Amino acid sequence: MGNPLLREVAEPFTKEEISSDKVKILLEDMWDSLESAGGIGLAAPQIGVSKQLAIIEVADASERYPEAESSKPFVIFNPIITVLDDDLQGFWEGCLSVPGMRGYVERPRKVQVDYLDEEAMPQNVVLEDFLATVFQHELDHLIGKLFIDRMNDISTLAFEDEMILLNEGEDEIEK
Ligand code: ZN
């Protein structure tokens, strides 16, 4: 947080770029970064590349998000997001670019994402509940937005250590 690149609107990829060795190396780097940070999603601007690429995978028993349902790995180029249900749902979001902190964010509960996959083939996926929030959070990085911009009540911004104390004995961190 504070790096101006995180506030830029990222550039789309051409189909040729998606198939390039350069992008394969970038993707390897992103998966390594995501795994070593124990995160569930990462966008290219978070590692200093202002391009429209994000990866998402909610692993079984994610350490940072233990209550989350697992997902397959997604590689998302040039996404377009459409809200399918604007009823709001809230989660305590964290971000590898805002380390050590969580904030309560409400977002639409159901979205569709149209994107290109690793083979530059058009795909679309409908996401609900926690995964809808994960996709919206990651794709926000591609338009220069961080979760703190989406918070209605900045007083819910908290250090993770404090949140653990706050939620001790409770089953879920979801409000
Ligand atoms: Zn983030």
Side-chain angles (χ1 to χ4, degrees):
M1 181 165 57
N3 186 320
L5 196 139
L6 280 175
R7 296 317 205 158
E8 287 175 14
V9 176
E11 292 289 327
F13 285 83
T14 63
K15 289 195 174 185
E16 293 69 37
E17 281 177 317
I18 292 174
S19 328
S20 70
D21 287 346
K22 203 174 155 189
V23 165
K24 284 189 178 65
I25 292 164
L26 172 62
L27 268 172
E28 274 172 34
D29 193 12
M30 286 176 68
W31 283 116
D32 286 349
S33 302
L34 185 62
E35 194 179 346
S36 65
I40 56 181
L42 187 72
Q46 293 183 273
I47 59 161
V49 179
S50 190
K51 296 284 278 181
Q52 289 183 26
L53 167 61
I55 57 172
I56 290 171
E57 181 176 19
V58 183
D60 283 330
S62 157
E63 226 171 82
R64 279 171 59 83
Y65 297 91
E67 306 302 328
E69 218 178 294
S70 61
S71 82
K72 68 168 194 164
F74 288 93
V75 175
I76 304 145
F77 292 93
N78 302 354
I80 295 166
I81 194 158
T82 309
V83 173
L84 298 182
D85 180 352
D86 56 13
D87 278 356
L88 298 176
Q89 59 177 3
F91 288 99
W92 287 93
E93 296 189 21
C95 181
L96 301 177
S97 300
V98 190
M101 305 204 82
R102 295 288 173 108
Y104 190 72
V105 182
E106 290 184 322
R107 300 180 187 265
R109 62 161 294 278
K110 188 174 182 182
V111 296
Q112 176 174 323
V113 178
D114 293 85
Y115 64 100
L116 299 177
D117 68 13
E118 257 180 292
E119 272 76 54
M121 296 299 289
Q123 302 288 345
N124 70 77
V125 63
V126 173
L127 294 317
E128 292 184 77
D129 308 321
F130 184 69
L131 267 182
T133 277
V134 175
F135 271 70
Q136 289 173 84
H137 175 118
E138 292 311 325
L139 303 189
D140 260 358
H141 280 298
L142 308 182
I143 56 167
K145 295 280 183 199
L146 297 174
F147 78 83
I148 48 172
D149 307 328
R150 304 298 192 192
M151 292 175 65
N152 288 326
D153 179 0
I154 202 77
S155 76
T156 68
L157 191 63
F159 291 111
E160 281 177 343
D161 293 356
E162 301 292 342
M163 293 231 13
I164 289 163
L165 294 175
L166 194 72
N167 290 293
E168 224 163 54
E170 286 185 24
D171 291 338
E172 299 197 48
I173 58 167
E174 180 189 351
K175 197 158 122 188

